[in-house]
Structures are given as structure tokens and as C-alpha cells.
Amino acid sequence: MEEFDFIQSIKPAYYRQSSVIKGIGDDAAILRHTNSDIIMTMDTMVENIHFNEKTAAPFYIGYRALAANISDIAAMGGKPVSYLVSVTVPDRWAPQELQEVYKGMKELAHAYQMDLIGGDTVSGDQLSLSITVLGIVDNGKARYRNTAKEHDIIFVTGTLGDSAYGLHLLLNEQAQEGSQYFINRHQMPTPRVSFINQSVPIERMALNDVSDGIANEANEIAASSHKGLLLDYDRIPYHELLAKYSPDNLYQWILSGGEDFELLGTVPLEDWDRLMDYANATGTMLTAIGTVVDDEKYNGKAWLRYQGDLKILDKSGYTHLKR
Amino acid sequence: MEEFDFIQSIKPAYYRQSSVIKGIGDDAAILRHTNSDIIMTMDTMVENIHFNEKTAAPFYIGYRALAANISDIAAMGGKPVSYLVSVTVPDRWAPQELQEVYKGMKELAHAYQMDLIGGDTVSGDQLSLSITVLGIVDNGKARYRNTAKEHDIIFVTGTLGDSAYGLHLLLNEQAQEGSQYFINRHQMPTPRVSFINQSVPIERMALNDVSDGIANEANEIAASSHKGLLLDYDRIPYHELLAKYSPDNLYQWILSGGEDFELLGTVPLEDWDRLMDYANATGTMLTAIGTVVDDEKYNGKAWLRYQGDLKILDKSGYTHLKR
């Protein structure tokens, strides 16, 4: 298939967003967003690094890569609106397989009324998918990770460790009752867009998405906010089957599993009930897992209450006593 | 070098554009462009496909890849403002080499006061560089390729074929007097941003950048404008050394050489003098190379007056008599 024909095959028949003045078909796309701030994120996923034949059929490669980018938009408190895709394709790939990658993205994009507005298709040795997502947020209303304050409640959406365990099942070709749940969570993660868009009335919220595990994300919020994030291990939410199937590694899965694309954040105590209402309204599981402190002894780091001790929680999920 | 350290090493110390509300350092970048339309383009360049060790040192890989994207912004009549870079790096690359790639981009970005606002660094077998550039243009003032009209003058900036001939010299390791000129034109192309930004007062202009050769670009304007583009071979500008060194292939170099990142466009006859003034004011070579016609017999295609005949000019640069 020629590049021109391929572009025709993936070109949208129409654009869902009125902001798209010009989509695919000129040197670049033209968008009009006069009343919003623009959010821009870009990520790349590469064959044999981020996925392989065991872990993802072409459809899921596309779906998951776009989900990861949308999750970054959610983590800024925004709404995803359009995306560009640059794909590097080995010659051994059939056009139908490549179209499956685009179908996976299209399915997720449809859920958010997002438009594919550009990109590139080139040859290479390894399948690689670079996606740029443009999102919008009301002027000055973006959520940053540096706004946590003392007495904030630390929250997380969903359950943690599911995606990493799903990947583990795929890599080891294990199947047991309920394993499809974890595999789905790995292949088709749900960015928390609707929850975070409902939460716009809440004035202040520090926010990160869980791409590298909450140990890492909590440290990022702690470091950039110059506060201490104290997490209670016993309150961290996980799926009951994860504890049943993998009790010995539960700690690793939930603290450093990563790629759940849930949201980890902090809100003022007085906004907690409202936030829970927004979670309920959008069918989002929401759990309070700790508290923010402002104390020289704790600031700049994440800490974990685990089996009676309060220890420093490293980015990697390890704990230790001394800084 | 850890990814974190690498990101720190390429992170700008400050942002040049006041539109950058948040640059690198959160889940995504935040930009504010309230009075402009947004232009978005994304391209990927891959080792051994778009460049190799012979054709580009790391610095030039970065420079040229960013230039190609900026050229797309120019071709929409816009001004480039920020960029995101996703790079896939083989383990055999030293951090210093990768930093050279970023230095090449930075040098060009500096000329346009552009800011690096995000991206990604991942491992892979092949060096691959995906760049997203965001540009701006006054509301409703983007230049498209579908606006050519009857009696328009067809123009091109600069000289054609230089980049393709420079690549040829690099691949064949030929050096002769003046060959550095062509090599520079290949490795450090100049997107025509200042010329096109000066030309804003001109109401209508059909525009394309020369990435695949003017035969291709003229056909794109002809097809999307539903007009005939009649080019005079004898008026197409080229460097005198190109004719001297490669007389037998001159035709191919200038019609289908590609990657010169010059601009090919059409303007109303009455705007020609003004356009020439803008070209002079920005030190840009500008040449009229043909006329737009509106005639069933010619519409939708590019045509070439060559050695006394008027023939159909294929996208690839070949000519023939019948459609």
C-alpha cells in the first residue's frame, strides 16, 4: 500500500470537534481554541520495549499508546481533543495489521470525541508509535503536581497493580479464572478523563497520573510541592484477585507496578466529600490513602506506613529508614 | 545516563515565549494562545531511511528534522513557537551524541525563539526522531494549498535541487569546489519563515513547502485547487554549480529532488510586486515560474513547458502527453 492510499484509509470522514479548522490533507493541521489553555503531550511506544507479540495484538498497541497520552491530559485536569500519530513500520507488517493499530486508537478516540488531525508514516526495522495529544483546559485551571498543601487528603482512583499483573500474565502465558480482567486492564486502560473533568469546581488539586507506580508519582508530588506525602499501605486499593493470586508480590504490584493510568492526587480536606460525589457521578472508584504534611523532617519525600513503621518510600517502591 | 538526568540536561533554563505557562516538568505542557489559530505538525526521521552516518552527524540529524517540521508551519503561513521531541535511541549511542541531536534542534529553535516543551526518550534498535511543532497564525489567516485561482503567478523561493544534490555528494563521498554549499543545503535547510511572515498582508496565497520536489507540490496545489498549474522549465531557479556539475541530471534534481524546504505557491498577479518587496526585505530569492489556468483541459494537474512542448508533469517529475 502506498503512503498516499494508507493516509486516505485512516483519514477521518469528518471531524467531531468544531475546533478543527483544517484536519489531515495540507502541510499541517489548523485548530481554533480561543478560550482555553492548550495542553500538549507526546509519547512513544516501541516494539520489544513497551510491547511485543505476546503482550499486544496491533489493535491494543494503538489503544494503549493513545490511552497513555490521554492519561497525561487527564493528569493536567484537561479534556483531550485531537491527536497526531507518527508510526514507524517494518516492511514485514501487512497494511491490515497497521490499520488495526489505527483502529485501536480510533475506538478510544471516539469515546472522547477526539479527532486524528495529522502525523506521519515511515519505514523502519521496529514498530514504533509516537503520539501527540492536544487537550484543552479552562484558562489558568490546569492541575499541577506542585500544589499539594498541609492536611490535604491523598487520593487515588481505581485499583493499583492490575496492569503490571496483566502484563506478567501475558508474558508468562498464564491463564486462570479472572485473568482476563488484568489483561484488559493492561491492554485497554481507562484514562480518568470524565472524573477529572467533573472535578473542575474544586479549586486546588495536585495531580499526577500513575504511569510509573504510585511510589514514583507520590515522590514527584512531594518533591515539586516541597511537602511530605504520608501513605498508608493498608488503604491502597487493589483487586481482591491480585491478593489471592500473587500475595507475595502484592507490595511490588501496587506500589511500583505502573501503567495503571489511574490518578494520584491531593485535595483539601474540606473538598473530599465533593470529590467523592464527582467520583460516584462518573462511576470512578476513589480511595483516600494518606495525608500531606508540612514538616522539615518529611518534606520533599513520600513515606509509607507499613506494618507499624513509617519509612521513606523510594521512587522504585523500596522503603528504608534513613534519608 | 538515567532518563531523569538526560531530561534535566536538555530542559531549557527559561522559556522564550510568554505563551508557555508550563514547559517541561509535569505530565504535559500548558500553552496560552488566545488570539491565534494553532498549527500542528508532526514528522519522524529514522536512521538508515532518512539519514545515516555518512549523511548526517548527530547535530545535523536534529537540525534538519526540526527544519522539516518548521517548514510545514511556514507552508501554512505561520510562525513556529514550540516543539516536542520523542527520540528512540539505541544503547550503542553515547549520551553526548544524543545531546548533539538536541543541540542541532536548539540552534535552529533559537533562531525562531522557539521553546522545547516536552517529549519522550525511549530505547530501541534504530535512532528515530519524532518532532511535533506547534505554530500560530492570525485567526482565519492560514495559507492552504486549495486557494489557487486563474491568472495567479506561480512562485518558488530559493533554488531547487540543492538538497538532493548535497545528499548525493554525501552518499558518494564526492568533494569538489563548492560542494560544501550543497551539503549545507541538505544538512541545514532554511525554512522560509521570515519571508512568509512578512507576506501576511497579502490576502490570498496557495502554498506548499517543497518536501517531495516541485513536481509533486505543484500537483498537490493543482489537485486541491481544481486548477491547472503551468510551469516553465526554463524559469525554474537552480544554483549555477548544479548545472555545471550535474548537467545530465539537472532536470531530475530541480523537479523531483525534494527536501529543499523552499516554498511553492501562487499569488494574484496584482500582488506580485508586493510579494517581491517582502522577499527582498527578508533576503529571500523569489522567482516566478509559471501561471495558473482555469480550463477543463488543464485543471487538477501540473504541466511543464519544456523544450517547446507543454506536457503533463507527473508527481514524480516525469512528463507525458496524455492524461
Side-chain angles (χ1 to χ4, degrees), chain A residues 82-209:
Chain A
S82 47
Y83 64 114
L84 299 93
V85 177
S86 216
V87 64
T88 305
V89 203
D91 292 337
R92 64 189 149 79
W93 273 62
Q96 292 75 12
E97 290 177 296
L98 186 57
Q99 274 163 337
E100 280 296 305
V101 176
Y102 279 82
K103 267 189 202 163
M105 291 186 277
K106 199 174 173 179
E107 172 145 329
L108 187 62
H110 185 73
Y112 300 108
Q113 302 288 306
M114 292 170 68
D115 295 306
L116 175 64
I117 58 164
D120 203 4
T121 314
V122 300
S123 316
D125 298 340
Q126 227 176 350
L127 190 86
S128 169
L129 194 59
S130 288
I131 303 182
T132 298
V133 172
L134 183 145
I136 53 173
V137 60
D138 291 347
N139 284 338
K141 296 290 186 189
R143 309 282 191 196
Y144 301 109
R145 54 178 70 147
N146 65 1
T147 61
K149 290 194 176 167
E150 193 176 16
H151 308 310
D152 276 5
I153 288 185
I154 303 169
F155 68 83
V156 69
T157 61
T159 50
L160 298 171
D162 296 345
S163 173
Y165 187 62
L167 177 63
H168 169 83
L169 293 174
L170 285 163
L171 287 172
N172 296 285
E173 292 171 356
Q174 290 175 6
Q176 48 210 149
E177 210 189 317
S179 62
Q180 192 58 43
Y181 164 81
F182 297 102
I183 290 169
N184 285 350
R185 287 274 289 165
H186 176 71
Q187 294 182 328
M188 301 178 78
T190 305
R192 297 300 180 184
V193 174
S194 43
F195 163 67
I196 212 64
N197 288 348
Q198 281 277 323
S199 312
V200 166
I202 292 183
E203 192 64 30
R204 183 176 58 78
M205 196 188 282
L207 205 60
N208 242 2
D209 72 324

Side-chain angles (χ1 to χ4, degrees), chain A residues 31-32 37-38 44 86 132, chain B residues 31-32 37-38 44 86 132:
Chain A
L31 304 169
R32 187 168 301 163
D37 286 346
I38 302 292
T44 296
S86 216
T132 298
Chain B
L31 304 170
R32 188 167 300 162
D37 287 345
I38 303 291
T44 296
S86 215
T132 297

